[in-house]
Amino acid sequence: IRTGMAYEFLGRAVGSADLNHDGYDDVLVGGLQNRAYVVHGSAAFPARFELDTLTGSNGFRIEGARTGDRAGESIAGVGDVNGDGIDDIGLGAQYADAHGADSGQVHVVFGRTAPRAATLPLATWADGDGFTLVGTGAEDYCGLNIGRGGDLNRDGIADLLLSCHGASALGTYRGAAYVIHGERPAA
């Protein structure tokens, strides 16, 4: 999987999940330029795949909400956190500033069977596309690490793990790790 863009640092983060629920795991690739990519798996996966050929049907690009957020520096398949039977992904943006400089964010992108556009811009995404978790204070750096938590509370829905390695709620830069329990959305 290749890019034609210089300084992309493609492969900073990698993962997999069946985001389009077709029975093939999809390849998740992040870099350092505020974007990440989902390349849909298939029975005939090519030896080389150019990211500028993403159309929505073969995968899509996720654009960070704000320049400098570094969305995509971490990316992971997190299981089915919204209980719809389709895998979801977590995407970290540890330099986002929603609650102070570098408070960080984790964007959870819901999987779906319906076709997508070639680009999913996090600045304007719709409620049904996913949700965002925000670090609570400056320099929390939430989102450097994201992981699949399995079903920690045994409710049949996947849970999400994430780090905020600079969190200072209990003392200067002690850091924190969080478990976010998945749940089915209300009607």
Side-chain angles (χ1 to χ4, degrees):
I1 298 174
R2 303 184 321 181
T3 180
M5 293 185 234
Y7 301 103
E8 182 82 12
F9 295 96
L10 191 68
R12 167 63 176 89
V14 295
S16 67
D18 185 6
L19 206 61
N20 60 350
H21 201 59
D22 65 355
Y24 297 99
D25 276 355
D26 307 318
V27 179
L28 315 173
V29 184
L32 297 182
Q33 295 301 321
N34 205 38
R35 61 187 151 260
Y37 304 89
V38 175
V39 179
H40 292 312
S42 69
F45 201 83
R48 287 192 174 118
F49 186 93
E50 300 292 337
L51 290 173
D52 61 359
T53 65
L54 290 172
T55 62
S57 61
N58 64 348
F60 59 98
R61 180 177 69 216
I62 303 168
E63 289 286 341
R66 188 185 61 85
T67 301
D69 285 358
R70 286 181 49 179
E73 187 170 357
S74 59
I75 191 168
V78 295
D80 177 18
V81 299
N82 64 341
D84 66 355
I86 304 172
D87 285 348
D88 306 313
I89 63 173
L91 178 79
Q94 69 169 332
Y95 294 101
D97 297 332
H99 285 156
D102 303 331
S103 54
Q105 295 179 336
V106 173
H107 306 283
V108 176
V109 178
F110 295 147
R112 68 181 197 195
T113 57
R116 291 185 185 269
T119 302
L120 174 62
L122 296 176
T124 59
W125 66 337
D127 287 342
D129 289 332
F131 62 90
T132 299
L133 301 164
V134 180
T136 60
E139 297 181 357
D140 277 4
Y141 301 107
C142 282
L144 176 62
N145 293 297
I146 304 164
R148 180 183 194 128
D151 183 8
L152 298 171
N153 60 347
R154 297 184 62 178
D155 65 354
I157 303 172
D159 302 316
L160 170 70
L161 305 174
L162 64 96
S163 71
C164 296
H165 68 275
S168 297
L170 299 175
T172 306
Y173 295 112
R174 289 190 183 187
Y178 294 94
V179 174
I180 309 297
H181 293 299
E183 65 179 47
R184 289 179 181 84

